[in-house]
Amino acid sequence: MKFFVDTAEIDAIAELNDLGMVDGVTTNPSLIKKSGRDIIEVTKEICDLVDGPVSAEVTATDADTMIAEGRKLVEIAENIAVKVPLTWDGLKACKTLSDDGHMVNVTLCFSANQALLAAKAGATFISPFIGRLDDINLDGMELIADIRTIYDNYGFDTEILAASIRSVNHVLDSARLGADVMTAPPGVIKAMVNHPLTDKGLATFLADIAAADIKIL
Ligand code: G3P
């Protein structure tokens, strides 16, 4: 499973990238707003840091302007994936930009039918929003499973990018269901290391190291 980091915070991306945990980055207007940075400037900095795809989202809602924005975004770096919303105009922009040879991430996906349309429009990535479905008492994981089945049935090569990941269990369940990629905030990725038995076991080992005065260096 590829790990994308869902943030525009450079330090957090760099820390995970140094550990080999970053296969790409996703941003959106809310994350750019949170960073307080200029979209072009911060996106370029992220692209310089990370080898994999970096999603940068358009701001327009009509296809022509989305395409123009997408063409400007891809000038930032070769690893830009243009992010467009899952609307009819977004699908038109997806088709044009992917025909031009650019990576496109179709975002705000909440149904398997939407994902089917995105694949047919040539999306590189489809981003089903797990957490936001769970928020309204629906089942985000059911959506991942449905998209996996449909894409496999017909051999679509659009990658399923599980998004709106809020917990370590979202990561685990997405991996079990065969999502190609997951994007999560840095805190969720770092929380995956935690286990109370690891802490307990280490405490015992440290006590024995102290008691027996075990030294390696
Ligand atoms: O990857 C999409 C993500 O940024 C949205 O997450 O938690 O705002 O639903 P959330």
Side-chain angles (χ1 to χ4, degrees):
M1 177 184 240
K2 284 182 257 186
F3 277 19
F4 288 2
V5 196
D6 199 30
T7 186
E9 304 296 334
I10 300 290
D11 290 350
I13 297 167
E15 184 191 359
L16 289 167
N17 196 42
D18 287 348
L19 284 176
M21 301 288 174
V22 179
D23 300 302
V25 172
T26 49
T27 65
N28 62 37
S30 306
L31 296 171
I32 296 292
K33 176 176 173 261
K34 194 172 164 198
S35 77
R37 308 269 314 271
D38 170 73
I39 180 172
I40 304 291
E41 188 187 285
V42 73
T43 305
K44 175 152 182 32
E45 224 171 290
I46 296 169
C47 288
D48 288 345
L49 195 63
V50 169
D51 292 332
V54 174
S55 290
E57 190 157 341
V58 298
T59 63
T61 54
D62 68 284
D64 287 345
T65 316
M66 281 190 218
I67 292 163
E69 288 182 341
R71 287 180 175 150
K72 178 166 178 184
L73 289 171
V74 298
E75 281 172 10
I76 296 174
E78 277 186 359
N79 52 337
I80 285 286
V82 181
K83 210 171 177 189
V84 299
L86 216 160
T87 58
W88 204 248
D89 278 74
L91 293 173
K92 284 185 195 169
C94 172
K95 177 79 173 104
T96 300
L97 291 166
S98 73
D99 282 353
D100 284 353
H102 303 304
M103 290 187 284
V104 181
N105 177 356
V106 180
T107 189
L108 291 169
C109 172
F110 294 97
S111 81
N113 273 341
Q114 288 181 320
L116 184 51
L117 290 173
K120 291 190 75 69
T124 315
F125 303 104
I126 182 69
S127 290
F129 272 37
I130 305 311
R132 292 192 194 184
L133 282 168
D134 291 356
D135 285 345
I136 60 161
N137 213 16
L138 293 174
D139 186 349
M141 285 306 147
E142 201 174 287
L143 177 57
I144 298 286
D146 282 350
I147 300 173
R148 182 74 282 156
T149 301
I150 291 167
Y151 282 8
D152 288 350
N153 281 350
Y154 299 101
F156 287 115
D157 53 17
T158 299
E159 293 190 40
I160 301 173
L161 197 175
S164 185
I165 295 268
R166 308 267 180 77
S167 69
V168 293
N169 284 338
H170 278 158
V171 179
L172 183 60
D173 290 340
S174 298
R176 282 185 175 134
L177 291 170
D180 302 286
V181 191
M182 72 88 197
T183 189
V188 171
I189 295 173
K190 291 178 85 172
M192 290 169 69
V193 78
N194 296 334
H195 199 291
L197 291 180
T198 304
D199 297 339
K200 191 177 168 203
L202 184 59
T204 306
F205 290 154
L206 289 174
D208 290 341
I209 287 165
D213 196 24
I214 301 169
K215 285 196 177 71
I216 295 172
L217 296 176

